[in-house]
């Protein structure tokens, strides 16, 4: 919807989250992005106010009454990215306003930041949110970088002390090239993500643009395995069937929500050909065999070299109707579709003596 949000859209999305099973699958928050606020603060007390035309009857109570949590958008600058009021200099007032409204999640953007250190700006809002005594998820959105004049440029380094998640890149768009570019930027930083603080490579673009089904599966699987926040950005009121099945795949969601909270790391990469991501789970291991080519390609996972495990390994597909592939030793080779991924769950059933 871009910045063109209104009460009708919010209610329709809330209804759809329940009707189509998103809430039951674990999608807890309904988050607004830019465009919800009035162009001026209140003349009475300088507080932020919703656009009275777009939101004549409010929005948060309806969402909460559906059993959902509500997320809102703000900015650590004088204006947000839609040139509506930002929170720089109004952190305490705006945090108290959000808490009084019942906000559960704040995405805090980075436009018009007056070239002030992000650590200073984002810390001020952190402190203001804590002072409200309301549990509000704090999503840092400084795009993974800052002005070259400033030293604190990488939020995955300082974000743990300030927020619950932090954007690691610029904005995504619904193109395969954008997805690959953002994925590539996660290679050396995935180990910074973990319980209490998560790398955020931006929202999912499944259901948008002209992505193929295999491209959507790859996008969803890799973001899930990276332990990224799974933020849907398509029109949930009219979900494409293929996209609906992808977004509601409970096995992939379980990888994302694994209680150990360990992100996968890249263990093999052949330029523009394929890559292998693996990681430990609370009850085994996960491996993503990702084909970057335009043609189908065979990819081999070596259990010991790629995962650090050996013995007899139970291999299970997480996208297959016939998931169990047997108890194997040494390695597993599979043909992966163009731009596709095969996601395997691995469990050691017997260790060789």
């Amino acid at each position: 919807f871009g910045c063109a949000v209104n009460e009708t859209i919010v209610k329709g999305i809330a209804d759809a989250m329940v009707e189509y099973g998103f809430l039951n699958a674990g999608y807890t928050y309904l988050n607004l992005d830019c465009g919800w606020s009035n162009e001026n603060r209140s003349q009475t007390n300088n507080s932020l106010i919703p656009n009275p035309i777009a939101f004549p009857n409010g929005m948060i109570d309806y969402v909460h009454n559906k059993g959902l949590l509500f997320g809102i958008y703000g900015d650590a600058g004088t204006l947000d990215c839609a040139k509506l009021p930002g929170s720089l200099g109004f952190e305490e007032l705006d945090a108290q306003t959000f808490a009084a409204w019942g906000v559960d999640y704040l995405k805090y953007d980075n436009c018009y930041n007056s070239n002030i250190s992000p650590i200073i700006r984002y810390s001020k809002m952190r402190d203001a949110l804590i002072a409200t005594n309301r549990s509000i998820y704090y999503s840092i959105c400084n795009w993974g970088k800052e002005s070259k004049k400033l030293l604190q440029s990488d939020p995955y380094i300082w974000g743990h002390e300030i927020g619950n998640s932090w954007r690691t890149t610029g904005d995504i768009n619904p193109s395969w090239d954008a997805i690959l570019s953002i994925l590539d930027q996660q290679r050396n930083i995935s180990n910074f993500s973990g319980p209490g603080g998560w790398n955020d490579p931006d929202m999912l673009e499944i259901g948008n643009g002209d992505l193929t089904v295999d491209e959507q599966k790859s996008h969803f699987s890799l973001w899930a395995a990276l332990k990224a926040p799974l933020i849907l950005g398509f029109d949930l009121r009219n979900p494409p069937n293929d996209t609906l099945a992808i977004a509601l795949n409970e096995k992939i969601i379980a990888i994302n929500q694994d209680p150990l909270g360990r992100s996968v790391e890249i263990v093999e990469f052949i330029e523009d050909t394929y890559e292998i991501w693996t990681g430990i789970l609370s009850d085994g291991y996960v491996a993503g065999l990702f084909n970057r080519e335009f043609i189908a390609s065979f990819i081999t996972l070596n259990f010991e070299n790629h995962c650090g495990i050996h013995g007899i390994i139970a291999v299970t597909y997480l996208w297959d109707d016939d998931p169990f592939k047997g108890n194997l030793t040494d390695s597993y080779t599979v043909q992966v579709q163009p731009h596709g991924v095969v996601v395997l769950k691995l469990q050691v059933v017997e260790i060789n003596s």
Side-chain angles (χ1 to χ4, degrees):
F1 303 108
C3 293
V5 291
N6 58 50
E7 184 178 316
T8 300
I9 289 174
V10 170
K11 290 181 176 180
I13 295 296
D15 292 343
M17 288 182 71
V18 176
E19 176 184 353
Y20 288 105
F22 293 101
L23 176 58
N24 286 340
Y27 295 93
T28 307
Y29 296 90
L30 189 159
N31 296 342
L32 290 188
D33 215 276
C34 58
W36 64 268
S37 67
N38 197 38
E39 61 183 8
N40 296 305
R41 289 177 173 269
S42 167
Q43 294 181 353
T44 304
N45 60 5
N46 270 336
S47 64
L48 293 169
I49 52 177
N51 183 307
I53 297 174
F55 296 97
N57 302 303
M59 48 188 160
I60 300 179
D61 287 346
Y62 189 90
V63 173
H64 282 165
N65 289 338
K66 287 287 182 178
L68 299 161
L69 299 175
F70 184 85
I72 209 161
Y73 169 91
D75 193 280
T78 55
L79 299 171
D80 69 20
C81 297
K83 298 185 177 180
L84 296 170
S87 291
L88 187 62
F90 294 92
E91 289 87 356
E92 292 81 7
L93 173 61
D94 292 352
Q96 291 293 337
T97 298
F98 294 149
W101 288 349
V103 166
D104 305 294
Y105 179 115
L106 172 64
K107 174 185 174 181
Y108 204 45
D109 218 337
N110 193 39
C111 287
Y112 301 97
N113 58 44
S114 301
N115 214 28
I116 299 171
S117 162
I119 293 181
I120 292 173
R121 289 180 291 111
Y122 284 94
S123 294
K124 282 186 176 180
M125 181 55 82
R126 171 203 60 195
D127 295 342
L129 292 172
I130 291 172
T132 69
N133 291 317
R134 181 175 178 82
S135 178
I136 299 177
Y137 184 102
Y138 187 27
S139 172
I140 294 170
C141 183
N142 87 314
W143 321 317
K145 60 183 179 180
E146 190 51 81
S147 168
K148 292 181 180 179
K149 297 179 182 179
L150 303 175
L151 296 177
Q152 302 92 356
S153 59
D154 300 318
Y156 53 86
I157 294 175
W158 49 263
H160 282 272
E161 301 299 321
I162 298 175
N164 300 107
S165 63
W166 43 86
R167 278 276 297 279
T168 58
T169 69
D171 290 347
I172 198 169
N173 65 67
S175 71
W176 185 240
D177 287 344
I179 292 167
L180 288 181
S181 174
I182 287 180
L183 177 65
D184 291 346
Q185 294 175 66
Q186 312 311 305
R187 289 181 201 163
N188 298 319
I189 66 171
S190 62
N191 61 320
F192 287 93
S193 195
W198 310 99
N199 287 335
D200 176 8
D202 206 4
M203 58 179 264
L204 292 157
E205 291 288 7
I206 62 173
N208 295 329
D210 297 317
L211 299 173
T212 68
V213 172
D214 280 315
E215 288 170 347
Q216 292 182 67
K217 285 183 176 180
S218 294
H219 182 22
F220 187 73
S221 299
L222 292 165
W223 261 236
L226 286 163
K227 302 300 187 287
L230 298 181
I231 304 174
L232 303 174
F234 63 93
D235 188 348
L236 273 62
R237 300 171 303 177
N238 299 288
N241 287 336
D242 289 332
T243 301
L244 185 63
I246 292 169
L248 298 180
N249 183 316
E250 61 183 20
K251 295 176 184 177
I252 300 297
I253 293 173
I255 296 297
N256 180 256
Q257 297 292 305
D258 182 74
L260 192 61
R262 290 276 294 275
S263 172
V264 291
E265 297 185 16
I266 193 163
V267 293
E268 186 167 336
F269 173 76
I270 306 298
E271 189 74 35
D272 296 327
T273 303
Y274 73 88
E275 54 199 57
I276 298 174
W277 296 78
T278 66
I280 189 170
L281 301 171
S282 59
D283 60 348
Y285 298 81
V286 63
L289 283 58
F290 174 44
N291 180 15
R292 298 174 70 111
E293 293 196 275
F294 289 95
I295 59 173
S297 179
F298 286 95
I299 302 176
T300 297
L301 177 73
N302 184 288
F303 301 144
E304 185 157 5
N305 293 344
H306 292 139
C307 304
I309 57 177
H310 63 275
I312 299 176
I313 312 299
V315 177
T316 305
Y317 276 29
L318 300 187
W319 281 109
D320 203 316
D321 292 334
D322 181 24
F324 183 62
K325 301 304 174 184
N327 293 323
L328 307 174
T329 58
D330 299 327
S331 65
Y332 182 72
T333 300
V334 60
Q335 186 178 47
V336 185
Q337 294 304 304
H339 295 178
V341 70
V342 168
V343 184
L344 304 174
K345 185 170 183 178
L346 311 169
Q347 293 174 299
V348 179
V349 296
E350 183 178 332
I351 299 176
N352 292 338
S353 57

